[in-house]
Structure formats: C-alpha cells, structure tokens
C-alpha cells in the first residue's frame, strides 16, 4: 500500500526566511503533485512533477522530485504572509486509467510578520 | 465560471438521515473523482468514474455510500443512514488528458467541496 509522509506537519516561520517541506513516498510513482489549501477552501494545484530531477518554480515556491530517493521537496524562499496555508503533496500510481491521488498528511505553514 | 462546482456547499443533518451531494465537472472532462477529507488530514480517494462507468471504489466506501454518474456528466454521491463519523469535507475533482513532456497528464481540478456535519 502506498504511503505518503510529509514533514514537518506544522511549520511556523518568520517573513523573509527560507524553509523546505519534505514529502516521502513508499513505492514507485508515475508523478507527484503539490497542492495548496487555505482554511475551509478547496485545493489549488501548484506543481506537477513528471520525472526524476524535475524542478519547477513559481514565485517564491520551488518544487523538485527525486524518484530514486522517492522524495520531493517544496522550498520556500523569503517567505511572505500570503504563503500561509496548508500544503499537500500527492502521489499518482496509474491503475488501468485510474489516476487517483494519494495525499500526504499536509504541512500547515504559518508565516509570522 | 467553468470550473468544477459542487452543491450544496454545506450540509447539516441528523444522524440516520440520508444526504445527497452533486458535482458538476469541467465541461468535457471524462474523468471524475470523489475524495473525503476529515479535519487535519489529507483528502482520501473514494471512487472514480470514466464517463458513466464507475471503475474503482475505495474500501472507505461502505455499503451506505453510493455514487452515480448517469450520463457521464454530473455525478451524485449519496450517503444513507448517516453517522457522526461521516462528518467531513467531500471533494469532487475532474480531469482530461493533456500532453506532458513525453506522456499524457491527467491533472485533477478540484471543486469547492461540500462540508457535511452529522449531529
């Protein structure tokens, strides 16, 4: 059974600092997604990582994928308050066309002014 | 707005009652998924449709749960004889294949969710 673990589960950081969220998964995967969720809201797609060594950047967020280590990272550069949210990684294993997502437990990020 | 829509957004019901939720996917998306998210957890897969065919159901989907997608467009999720443990956010997502670097990617787009509270 596929297991997806994130750490840390909670992260409180000051504005302007850098930090990294880690996502480990237990079996070979077809691709990996990062999502953002604001309180009481649905999921917003941030990145999709398709292959080993993939790196994607959008603003202050950068995601990378190491399929050999079964590890993805989400790096936050010079954090700002607007980035406060819960971040989920989700792994896909295709099964006869079903590309269901298996989510990590989430990292609740709070940026302190 | 052409995104995924869900109705209702909030539902409060008493234990033992039946509830039904609706999901309207993005037009022409042939794949539709239901997920459940409890407080403080990541979403968990419930079931998957390709067009009108329900192709996979999670073990989380007990016999009190049923989902349909009768014409391959909107979908409904019904919970019979609700229990307090059913309280959660129910999320719907749809997808259609788009070309990735070397293969087709079926990125899922999520609706706003239906928050169910069973009292």
């Amino acid at each position: 059974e596929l297991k997806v673990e994130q750490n840390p589960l909670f992260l409180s950081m000051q504005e302007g600092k850098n930090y990294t969220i880690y996502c480990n998964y237990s079996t070979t995967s077809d691709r990996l997604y990062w999502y953002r969720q604001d309180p009481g809201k649905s999921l917003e797609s941030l990145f999709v990582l398709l292959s080993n060594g993939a790196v994607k950047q959008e603003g202050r967020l950068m995601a990378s994928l190491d399929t050999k280590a079964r590890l993805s990272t989400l790096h936050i550069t010079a954090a700002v308050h607007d980035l406060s949210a819960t971040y989920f990684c989700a792994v896909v294993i295709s099964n006869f066309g079903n590309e269901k997502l298996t989510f990590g437990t989430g990292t609740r990020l709070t940026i302190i002014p | 707005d052409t995104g995924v829509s869900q109705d209702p957004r909030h539902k409060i019901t008493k234990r033992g009652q039946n509830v039904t939720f609706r999901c309207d996917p993005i037009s022409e998306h042939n794949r539709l998924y239901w997920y459940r998210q409890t407080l403080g957890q990541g979403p968990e897969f419930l079931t998957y449709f390709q067009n009108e065919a329900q192709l996979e159901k999670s073990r989380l989907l007990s016999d009190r749960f049923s989902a349909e997608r009768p014409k391959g467009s909107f979908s409904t999720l019904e919970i019979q004889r609700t229990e307090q443990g059913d309280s959660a956010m129910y999320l719907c997502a749809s997808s259609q294949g788009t070309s990735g670097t070397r293969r087709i990617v079926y990125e899922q787009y999520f609706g706003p969710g239906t928050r169910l509270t069973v009292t």
Side-chain angles (χ1 to χ4, degrees), chain B residues 64-80:
Chain B
R64 297 184 297 106
F65 288 71
S66 62
E68 294 182 340
R69 194 182 183 197
K71 297 182 180 178
S73 57
F74 73 91
S75 176
T76 58
L77 178 68
E78 181 184 15
I79 309 174
Q80 296 182 328

PDB file of all heavy atoms in Angstrom, chain B residues 64-80:
ATOM      1  N   ARG B  64     -23.170   1.974   2.698  1.00  0.00           N
ATOM      2  CA  ARG B  64     -24.083   3.102   2.894  1.00  0.00           C
ATOM      3  C   ARG B  64     -23.829   4.212   1.864  1.00  0.00           C
ATOM      4  O   ARG B  64     -24.624   5.140   1.756  1.00  0.00           O
ATOM      5  CB  ARG B  64     -23.920   3.680   4.304  1.00  0.00           C
ATOM      6  CG  ARG B  64     -24.282   2.726   5.415  1.00  0.00           C
ATOM      7  CD  ARG B  64     -24.202   3.407   6.796  1.00  0.00           C
ATOM      8  NE  ARG B  64     -22.842   3.853   7.099  1.00  0.00           N
ATOM      9  CZ  ARG B  64     -22.460   5.131   7.064  1.00  0.00           C
ATOM     10  NH1 ARG B  64     -23.316   6.081   6.735  1.00  0.00           N
ATOM     11  NH2 ARG B  64     -21.205   5.441   7.362  1.00  0.00           N
ATOM     12  N   PHE B  65     -22.721   4.105   1.172  1.00  0.00           N
ATOM     13  CA  PHE B  65     -22.352   5.115   0.189  1.00  0.00           C
ATOM     14  C   PHE B  65     -22.648   4.593  -1.218  1.00  0.00           C
ATOM     15  O   PHE B  65     -22.336   3.438  -1.531  1.00  0.00           O
ATOM     16  CB  PHE B  65     -20.856   5.427   0.270  1.00  0.00           C
ATOM     17  CG  PHE B  65     -20.433   6.207   1.475  1.00  0.00           C
ATOM     18  CD1 PHE B  65     -20.426   5.625   2.732  1.00  0.00           C
ATOM     19  CD2 PHE B  65     -20.021   7.525   1.361  1.00  0.00           C
ATOM     20  CE1 PHE B  65     -20.025   6.347   3.849  1.00  0.00           C
ATOM     21  CE2 PHE B  65     -19.613   8.246   2.468  1.00  0.00           C
ATOM     22  CZ  PHE B  65     -19.614   7.661   3.714  1.00  0.00           C
ATOM     23  N   SER B  66     -23.187   5.476  -2.055  1.00  0.00           N
ATOM     24  CA  SER B  66     -23.335   5.110  -3.462  1.00  0.00           C
ATOM     25  C   SER B  66     -23.087   6.349  -4.308  1.00  0.00           C
ATOM     26  O   SER B  66     -23.468   7.458  -3.942  1.00  0.00           O
ATOM     27  CB  SER B  66     -24.722   4.522  -3.736  1.00  0.00           C
ATOM     28  OG  SER B  66     -25.723   5.485  -3.469  1.00  0.00           O
ATOM     29  N   ALA B  67     -22.454   6.141  -5.430  1.00  0.00           N
ATOM     30  CA  ALA B  67     -22.156   7.238  -6.345  1.00  0.00           C
ATOM     31  C   ALA B  67     -22.607   6.847  -7.733  1.00  0.00           C
ATOM     32  O   ALA B  67     -22.534   5.680  -8.117  1.00  0.00           O
ATOM     33  CB  ALA B  67     -20.658   7.559  -6.338  1.00  0.00           C
ATOM     34  N   GLU B  68     -23.060   7.858  -8.464  1.00  0.00           N
ATOM     35  CA  GLU B  68     -23.513   7.636  -9.838  1.00  0.00           C
ATOM     36  C   GLU B  68     -23.027   8.769 -10.725  1.00  0.00           C
ATOM     37  O   GLU B  68     -22.800   9.888 -10.263  1.00  0.00           O
ATOM     38  CB  GLU B  68     -25.052   7.589  -9.901  1.00  0.00           C
ATOM     39  CG  GLU B  68     -25.686   6.430  -9.193  1.00  0.00           C
ATOM     40  CD  GLU B  68     -27.201   6.437  -9.360  1.00  0.00           C
ATOM     41  OE1 GLU B  68     -27.764   7.496  -9.676  1.00  0.00           O
ATOM     42  OE2 GLU B  68     -27.807   5.364  -9.170  1.00  0.00           O
ATOM     43  N   ARG B  69     -22.964   8.448 -11.988  1.00  0.00           N
ATOM     44  CA  ARG B  69     -22.687   9.477 -12.992  1.00  0.00           C
ATOM     45  C   ARG B  69     -23.484   9.063 -14.230  1.00  0.00           C
ATOM     46  O   ARG B  69     -22.933   8.558 -15.196  1.00  0.00           O
ATOM     47  CB  ARG B  69     -21.198   9.564 -13.294  1.00  0.00           C
ATOM     48  CG  ARG B  69     -20.821  10.810 -14.066  1.00  0.00           C
ATOM     49  CD  ARG B  69     -19.340  10.866 -14.400  1.00  0.00           C
ATOM     50  NE  ARG B  69     -19.011  12.097 -15.074  1.00  0.00           N
ATOM     51  CZ  ARG B  69     -17.895  12.287 -15.770  1.00  0.00           C
ATOM     52  NH1 ARG B  69     -17.001  11.313 -15.862  1.00  0.00           N
ATOM     53  NH2 ARG B  69     -17.657  13.431 -16.342  1.00  0.00           N
ATOM     54  N   PRO B  70     -24.776   9.265 -14.187  1.00  0.00           N
ATOM     55  CA  PRO B  70     -25.693   8.615 -15.128  1.00  0.00           C
ATOM     56  C   PRO B  70     -25.459   8.913 -16.603  1.00  0.00           C
ATOM     57  O   PRO B  70     -25.641   8.054 -17.430  1.00  0.00           O
ATOM     58  CB  PRO B  70     -27.072   9.100 -14.673  1.00  0.00           C
ATOM     59  CG  PRO B  70     -26.820  10.287 -13.827  1.00  0.00           C
ATOM     60  CD  PRO B  70     -25.469  10.124 -13.228  1.00  0.00           C
ATOM     61  N   LYS B  71     -25.086  10.080 -16.962  1.00  0.00           N
ATOM     62  CA  LYS B  71     -24.909  10.389 -18.376  1.00  0.00           C
ATOM     63  C   LYS B  71     -23.479  10.803 -18.675  1.00  0.00           C
ATOM     64  O   LYS B  71     -23.205  11.415 -19.707  1.00  0.00           O
ATOM     65  CB  LYS B  71     -25.882  11.490 -18.814  1.00  0.00           C
ATOM     66  CG  LYS B  71     -27.335  11.081 -18.695  1.00  0.00           C
ATOM     67  CD  LYS B  71     -28.270  12.184 -19.184  1.00  0.00           C
ATOM     68  CE  LYS B  71     -29.718  11.742 -19.053  1.00  0.00           C
ATOM     69  NZ  LYS B  71     -30.653  12.815 -19.488  1.00  0.00           N
ATOM     70  N   GLY B  72     -22.592  10.466 -17.770  1.00  0.00           N
ATOM     71  CA  GLY B  72     -21.201  10.819 -17.980  1.00  0.00           C
ATOM     72  C   GLY B  72     -20.917  12.295 -17.801  1.00  0.00           C
ATOM     73  O   GLY B  72     -19.850  12.759 -18.199  1.00  0.00           O
ATOM     74  N   SER B  73     -21.875  13.019 -17.204  1.00  0.00           N
ATOM     75  CA  SER B  73     -21.628  14.449 -16.967  1.00  0.00           C
ATOM     76  C   SER B  73     -21.544  14.693 -15.465  1.00  0.00           C
ATOM     77  O   SER B  73     -20.515  14.425 -14.866  1.00  0.00           O
ATOM     78  CB  SER B  73     -22.714  15.300 -17.628  1.00  0.00           C
ATOM     79  OG  SER B  73     -23.990  14.931 -17.156  1.00  0.00           O
ATOM     80  N   PHE B  74     -22.647  15.148 -14.831  1.00  0.00           N
ATOM     81  CA  PHE B  74     -22.599  15.390 -13.393  1.00  0.00           C
ATOM     82  C   PHE B  74     -22.610  14.060 -12.638  1.00  0.00           C
ATOM     83  O   PHE B  74     -22.946  13.002 -13.188  1.00  0.00           O
ATOM     84  CB  PHE B  74     -23.777  16.268 -12.960  1.00  0.00           C
ATOM     85  CG  PHE B  74     -25.101  15.563 -12.971  1.00  0.00           C
ATOM     86  CD1 PHE B  74     -25.578  14.910 -11.842  1.00  0.00           C
ATOM     87  CD2 PHE B  74     -25.880  15.539 -14.114  1.00  0.00           C
ATOM     88  CE1 PHE B  74     -26.792  14.252 -11.856  1.00  0.00           C
ATOM     89  CE2 PHE B  74     -27.092  14.881 -14.150  1.00  0.00           C
ATOM     90  CZ  PHE B  74     -27.555  14.232 -13.012  1.00  0.00           C
ATOM     91  N   SER B  75     -22.229  14.139 -11.370  1.00  0.00           N
ATOM     92  CA  SER B  75     -22.210  12.948 -10.523  1.00  0.00           C
ATOM     93  C   SER B  75     -22.909  13.258  -9.204  1.00  0.00           C
ATOM     94  O   SER B  75     -22.944  14.409  -8.766  1.00  0.00           O
ATOM     95  CB  SER B  75     -20.779  12.518 -10.241  1.00  0.00           C
ATOM     96  OG  SER B  75     -20.721  11.422  -9.347  1.00  0.00           O
ATOM     97  N   THR B  76     -23.478  12.229  -8.592  1.00  0.00           N
ATOM     98  CA  THR B  76     -24.051  12.360  -7.259  1.00  0.00           C
ATOM     99  C   THR B  76     -23.409  11.356  -6.318  1.00  0.00           C
ATOM    100  O   THR B  76     -23.019  10.256  -6.733  1.00  0.00           O
ATOM    101  CB  THR B  76     -25.568  12.140  -7.262  1.00  0.00           C
ATOM    102  OG1 THR B  76     -25.855  10.838  -7.798  1.00  0.00           O
ATOM    103  CG2 THR B  76     -26.273  13.209  -8.086  1.00  0.00           C
ATOM    104  N   LEU B  77     -23.272  11.774  -5.072  1.00  0.00           N
ATOM    105  CA  LEU B  77     -22.776  10.902  -4.009  1.00  0.00           C
ATOM    106  C   LEU B  77     -23.837  10.895  -2.920  1.00  0.00           C
ATOM    107  O   LEU B  77     -24.183  11.943  -2.382  1.00  0.00           O
ATOM    108  CB  LEU B  77     -21.445  11.418  -3.453  1.00  0.00           C
ATOM    109  CG  LEU B  77     -20.839  10.630  -2.292  1.00  0.00           C
ATOM    110  CD1 LEU B  77     -20.391   9.247  -2.744  1.00  0.00           C
ATOM    111  CD2 LEU B  77     -19.656  11.390  -1.687  1.00  0.00           C
ATOM    112  N   GLU B  78     -24.368   9.722  -2.630  1.00  0.00           N
ATOM    113  CA  GLU B  78     -25.401   9.592  -1.607  1.00  0.00           C
ATOM    114  C   GLU B  78     -24.854   8.832  -0.410  1.00  0.00           C
ATOM    115  O   GLU B  78     -24.158   7.820  -0.580  1.00  0.00           O
ATOM    116  CB  GLU B  78     -26.636   8.876  -2.149  1.00  0.00           C
ATOM    117  CG  GLU B  78     -27.750   8.741  -1.106  1.00  0.00           C
ATOM    118  CD  GLU B  78     -28.949   7.947  -1.589  1.00  0.00           C
ATOM    119  OE1 GLU B  78     -28.835   7.244  -2.617  1.00  0.00           O
ATOM    120  OE2 GLU B  78     -30.000   8.026  -0.914  1.00  0.00           O
ATOM    121  N   ILE B  79     -25.172   9.328   0.770  1.00  0.00           N
ATOM    122  CA  ILE B  79     -24.839   8.616   2.000  1.00  0.00           C
ATOM    123  C   ILE B  79     -26.153   8.291   2.695  1.00  0.00           C
ATOM    124  O   ILE B  79     -26.941   9.190   2.999  1.00  0.00           O
ATOM    125  CB  ILE B  79     -23.953   9.451   2.942  1.00  0.00           C
ATOM    126  CG1 ILE B  79     -22.742  10.007   2.199  1.00  0.00           C
ATOM    127  CG2 ILE B  79     -23.506   8.591   4.119  1.00  0.00           C
ATOM    128  CD1 ILE B  79     -21.898  10.970   3.038  1.00  0.00           C
ATOM    129  N   GLN B  80     -26.370   7.020   2.935  1.00  0.00           N
ATOM    130  CA  GLN B  80     -27.581   6.596   3.636  1.00  0.00           C
ATOM    131  C   GLN B  80     -27.277   6.383   5.111  1.00  0.00           C
ATOM    132  O   GLN B  80     -26.155   6.022   5.489  1.00  0.00           O
ATOM    133  CB  GLN B  80     -28.105   5.303   3.015  1.00  0.00           C
ATOM    134  CG  GLN B  80     -28.548   5.462   1.568  1.00  0.00           C
ATOM    135  CD  GLN B  80     -29.109   4.178   0.988  1.00  0.00           C
ATOM    136  OE1 GLN B  80     -28.687   3.087   1.356  1.00  0.00           O
ATOM    137  NE2 GLN B  80     -30.065   4.300   0.093  1.00  0.00           N
TER     138      GLN B  80
END
